[in-house]
Amino acid sequence: MNDPKASKLLWQSVVMVALRDLCNSHPLKEENRQGVERWIGVFPSADFREVCLLAGLDARKAHIAFRGLCQKPPKHRSEWLRTLNHRISEKKAE
């Protein structure tokens, strides 16, 4: 059985893992971080656009946000991710 909601949640999880890898400032995670930076690229690739589509995200807006993160030092990225996680937790509590 194909469950569209479950599929969308799965792809949203893929995006969240990419965000976590992008924001991880630990030196041992450098390879993961660089891999996500390549996946994001200067322009959104077909793969990036497809993942966003499956996750229910606007690929253009997501790419702008991801590229903005890529411009920040990893330490600042992790601070941004903590803020995002806090906001998500607040929304779930509502």
Side-chain angles (χ1 to χ4, degrees), residues 3-58:
D3 182 353
K5 185 176 178 179
S7 178
K8 184 177 178 178
L9 288 171
L10 171 70
W11 288 105
Q12 287 173 350
S13 295
V14 169
V15 172
M16 285 305 296
V17 169
L19 274 173
R20 287 189 182 111
D21 284 349
L22 183 64
C23 295
N24 193 329
S25 60
H26 194 283
L28 294 177
K29 300 298 182 177
E30 179 70 22
E31 188 174 328
N32 293 0
R33 191 169 51 251
Q34 289 175 350
V36 173
E37 289 172 350
R38 282 191 302 275
W39 177 66
I40 294 166
V42 176
F43 300 102
S45 67
D47 287 341
F48 183 89
R49 291 190 310 269
E50 183 173 8
V51 169
C52 289
L53 174 71
L54 294 169
L57 301 173
D58 180 312

Side-chain angles (χ1 to χ4, degrees), residues 74-85:
K75 180 183 177 190
H76 294 237
R77 296 176 193 178
S78 58
E79 292 168 4
W80 178 89
L81 184 61
R82 279 193 294 279
T83 301
L84 175 64
N85 285 332

